[in-house]
Amino acid sequence: MNNYGYVRVSTREQNEERQLLALRALPVPRQNIFMDKQSGKDFERPQYCQLVRKLKKDDVLYIKSIDRLGRNYAEILDQWRILTRDKGVDIVVIDMPLLDTRRGKDLMGAFLSDIVLQVLSFVAENERMSIRQRQAEGIEAAKARGIRFGRPPRPLPENFYAVCRAWRNKELTLKQAAMACRMPPGTFYSKANPRKIAK
């Protein structure tokens, strides 16, 4: 039986120290702590995948909280079942003593653990969806106030309208006109659309 720990932060700027301190207070060897610095939207994370390959029957996996495992409700449940039922691994969620599969190996213990897991997974996913909705609403509100996102459009070159007229009069090919304005042909074509040309 080996003890393992898993740590996840969503971005490289976030601090993982709180999770590491919790794991170091437990009998988890440092070399058995795996850490990813990326979103928990799915389980395609290099360190997590490496950890799962190492886990064997009767090993114990410690995580600080359920949302460190992931944020997708259905996928958290799938992973939990793969680890506990298929691989025979025990999982201990440090912040939630009810989610400790070493206890209550009977049917009632497994049932209670499943209920708590489903509720917590739902809450984690709901929070993720709320964050995305708040971000979308914030962007829409900013756009309504006239705030523009992305790079500002580059000004048209001084010779643009003269080149446009020459192109429309078939004095220049599209490629020649685009080169004269130092633009890709597709960009020149879209900007030279007669409906957009004021001059």
Side-chain angles (χ1 to χ4, degrees):
M1 186 189 81
N2 290 304
N3 291 336
Y4 291 89
Y6 181 67
V7 172
R8 184 187 66 78
V9 288
S10 297
T11 66
R12 295 194 173 278
E13 291 73 37
Q14 287 184 336
N15 193 332
E16 67 278 3
E17 197 58 33
R18 189 175 59 90
Q19 295 174 67
L20 289 171
L21 284 171
L23 290 173
R24 286 173 190 152
L26 298 166
V28 180
R30 286 186 181 226
Q31 69 271 17
N32 285 2
I33 296 176
F34 291 76
M35 180 169 62
D36 282 305
K37 292 192 175 189
Q38 72 184 77
S39 165
K41 64 182 171 59
D42 59 42
F43 285 87
E44 295 302 313
R45 303 175 223 137
Q47 289 294 301
Y48 181 79
C49 292
Q50 190 178 332
L51 166 65
V52 171
R53 284 194 296 271
K54 286 188 82 97
L55 288 168
K56 303 280 188 298
K57 189 176 185 326
D58 295 325
D59 286 346
V60 180
L61 171 61
Y62 293 90
I63 53 172
K64 179 83 168 79
S65 57
I66 193 67
D67 64 344
R68 297 305 87 202
L69 187 60
R71 287 200 175 272
N72 181 300
Y73 169 60
E75 289 191 8
I76 290 172
L77 293 176
D78 281 346
Q79 286 297 310
W80 188 276
R81 290 182 181 120
I82 288 166
L83 295 174
T84 58
R85 295 179 190 171
D86 298 351
K87 291 184 77 82
V89 171
D90 277 311
I91 303 176
V92 177
V93 180
I94 300 165
D95 286 352
M96 181 61 58
L98 276 173
L99 286 177
D100 181 344
T101 60
R102 297 171 305 176
R103 298 186 209 185
K105 293 281 187 181
D106 59 354
L107 189 60
M108 181 57 76
F111 177 67
L112 285 173
S113 185
D114 265 8
I115 289 175
V116 173
L117 174 65
Q118 290 198 35
V119 169
L120 290 176
S121 299
F122 174 77
V123 168
E125 165 121 343
N126 210 40
E127 176 60 17
R128 185 173 72 89
M129 289 172 69
S130 295
I131 288 169
R132 286 172 63 187
Q133 184 177 346
R134 287 196 297 270
Q135 285 173 337
E137 288 168 356
I139 289 168
E140 284 305 311
K143 284 180 178 175
R145 291 194 308 271
I147 296 171
R148 298 187 69 170
F149 293 88
R151 290 185 297 184
R154 292 175 65 180
L156 294 173
E158 288 180 18
N159 66 343
F160 179 74
Y161 295 106
V163 171
C164 255
R165 279 193 296 275
W167 173 66
R168 284 206 305 273
N169 294 335
K170 301 196 188 315
E171 296 165 20
L172 294 171
T173 66
L174 176 63
K175 191 172 180 182
Q176 289 169 333
M179 283 179 66
C181 291
R182 296 185 177 172
M183 292 178 178
T187 304
F188 176 84
Y189 184 82
S190 67
K191 292 189 180 295
N193 185 325
R195 286 173 295 179
K196 296 182 180 178
I197 301 298
K199 295 185 183 178

